[in-house]
Amino acid sequence: MTIPQATSLCIDLHCHSTVSDGALTPSDLIARARDKGVTHLALTDHDTIAGLEQARQAAGQVGLELINGVELSCLWRIQTIHIVALDFDVDDPGFRAALATQLDNRWRRARMIAERLERLKVDDLLTKATSVAGGDVPGRPHFARVLVDEGVVRDSGQAFRRHLGAGKPGDVRAFWPELDEVVAWIVQAGGIAVLAHPRKYKMTATRLRQLVSDFRRAGGRAIEVSTSGQSSGDLGFLAELCRREQLLASQGSDFHFPGAPWCELGHIMKMPDGLEPVWHHFRKPVVTG
Ligand code: AMP
Ligand code: FE
Ligand code: FE
Ligand code: ZN
C-alpha cells in the first residue's frame, strides 16, 4: 500500500535572500525553510537568480525540493508590478540576457534614487546603500535602512511613506520593462509567470481585473492567491478572480527576514477549494490532492 504524501507537503513559492533584500543567505534560508517544515521552496529574489546555485546545494543536503524562481519588476500602466517566474530553464540564453538587462536597469535606477534623494543631505547615499546591500545593487529597502541609520527617519515604514513609497521622489519606475515583455521572457524560457501579491498594489477591483486580464493575454498563467498579510476576504476575492480567469493558483510567504510573525516561511493560509495549483504544472509536477 502506498501512503499518500499530499498532507505532509508544505509548498512556499515566494521568498527572498541576501542576494536581493532578504536578511538570510540562500543556505540559511533553506535551513530555516526546512525547520519550518517546508518541503518545496522557490527562492524568488528581486530580478536575480544569483542565489539559486547556493540554495540548490543547500536544498540537496537537507532533502528539500527547490523550484527555480525569480521576482521580476515591470510596469503596467505606469504602475510597478511584480511577476514571479517559476520553473524556468536557468540556462536559457534569452532569459539570462534579460536578467542582465534588469541588473543594469537596477543600477541605473539606484543612481537616480540617490540623485532624487540628494536634498536629504546624506553624504555618499549610494555608496552607503550599496554597502547595506552587501556590495550588490541596492533596492529601496537598502536605501530605507540608510535613511534610518542616518537618523533621517524613524523606521523603514516612515522611509517608504515619506521618501521611497509610491509617488514619492525615491519611487523611480522609469527603468522597468513593460509587463508583456517580462511575461514573454518567462514564457520563452519555459517558465510559468505568476502575478505576485495582487492585493499589494492597492488597486480597485475593476483595475485589478484589467491587470489580470492583460497579464493573461500576455501569457501569464497563475496568480498568487495565498500570501502573507492577507485577510480571509482577500483570499476569497483572489480565489474567485483566479477561477473566473481560469488561471492557476500559486502561494508563497514573501518571507524577507526572521522576527516578523505575520510573515514566515511556509506559513500560508490554506488555498480555497476548487483551484488548480500551479505546482501540478511544473516540469516535474508536485502531486497534491
Ligand atoms: P525595489 O524592488 O527596490 O523597488 O524594492 C521593493 C521591495 O521594497 C519590496 O519587495 C518590499 O520588500 C519593500 N517594500 C516595498 N514597499 C514597502 C513599504 N511600504 N514598507 C516597507 N518595505 C517596502
Ligand atoms: Fe522585497
Ligand atoms: Fe514583490
Ligand atoms: Zn517578494
Side-chain angles (χ1 to χ4, degrees):
M1 190 184 101
T2 48
I3 300 163
Q5 282 193 331
T7 51
S8 61
L9 296 186
C10 177
I11 301 169
D12 190 336
L13 301 174
H14 188 160
C15 65
H16 297 269
S17 77
T18 45
V19 164
S20 64
D21 58 358
L24 304 182
T25 62
S27 28
D28 288 346
L29 186 87
I30 295 293
R32 188 178 182 92
R34 164 89 185 156
D35 279 355
K36 300 292 176 192
V38 175
T39 55
H40 296 74
L41 186 81
L43 170 60
T44 56
D45 276 307
H46 294 287
D47 299 303
T48 176
I49 57 169
L52 294 193
E53 209 169 295
Q54 191 190 114
R56 187 165 314 285
Q57 277 193 12
Q61 281 164 13
V62 299
L64 188 149
E65 198 72 40
L66 187 81
I67 293 105
N68 291 337
V70 62
E71 182 173 16
L72 297 164
S73 315
C74 64
L75 283 180
W76 179 76
R77 301 188 184 174
I78 70 167
Q79 183 167 3
T80 304
I81 301 294
H82 286 171
I83 305 294
V84 161
L86 295 176
D87 199 35
F88 48 84
D89 173 10
V90 278
D91 296 319
D92 183 87
F95 199 62
R96 286 196 165 254
L99 289 172
T101 316
Q102 277 299 76
L103 181 62
D104 201 46
N105 289 336
R106 276 201 167 260
W107 274 114
R108 287 159 63 202
R109 185 183 77 133
R111 286 192 287 271
M112 185 171 276
I113 293 174
E115 262 173 46
R116 293 249 196 111
L117 297 183
E118 246 168 29
R119 65 196 174 82
L120 299 178
K121 308 239 177 293
V122 175
D123 291 335
D124 306 318
L125 177 57
L126 182 60
T127 311
K128 285 172 180 159
T130 306
S131 157
V132 170
D136 294 328
V137 59
R140 286 182 293 161
H142 305 112
F143 281 97
R145 253 287 296 286
V146 177
L147 298 186
V148 176
D149 292 348
E150 296 284 320
V152 176
V153 288
R154 197 176 52 231
D155 53 33
S156 152
Q158 196 176 61
F160 272 90
R161 278 194 303 279
R162 291 193 179 167
H163 307 295
L164 295 156
K168 301 297 167 189
D171 172 32
V172 178
R173 315 167 197 170
F175 300 109
W176 299 140
E178 289 292 324
L179 175 100
D180 293 39
E181 193 181 342
V182 165
V183 172
W185 296 342
I186 301 167
V187 171
Q188 64 87 30
I192 298 178
V194 184
L195 179 65
H197 43 61
R199 286 315 243 175
K200 268 203 188 156
Y201 309 120
K202 307 224 183 313
M203 289 178 185
T204 60
T206 309
R207 192 172 159 90
L208 185 55
R209 285 196 193 98
Q210 281 165 358
L211 166 62
V212 168
S213 147
D214 284 358
F215 168 71
R216 194 169 179 276
R217 213 170 307 125
R221 290 179 62 198
I223 68 176
E224 220 169 57
V225 171
S226 191
T227 184
S228 300
Q230 264 184 184
S231 67
S232 49
D234 287 337
L235 186 70
F237 173 81
L238 292 174
E240 185 48 39
L241 188 60
C242 193
R243 284 187 205 103
R244 195 194 311 204
E245 286 288 331
Q246 295 188 301
L247 287 162
L248 304 172
S250 189
Q251 62 183 32
S253 62
D254 204 3
F255 174 86
H256 280 74
F257 49 84
W262 63 91
C263 183
E264 182 55 80
L265 287 164
H267 290 202
I268 303 154
M269 267 201 271
K270 191 187 168 304
M271 197 100 88
D273 292 334
L275 297 171
E276 176 64 5
V278 69
W279 50 86
H280 287 182
H281 297 262
F282 290 164
R283 285 174 291 179
K284 185 177 148 197
V286 182
V287 182
T288 53

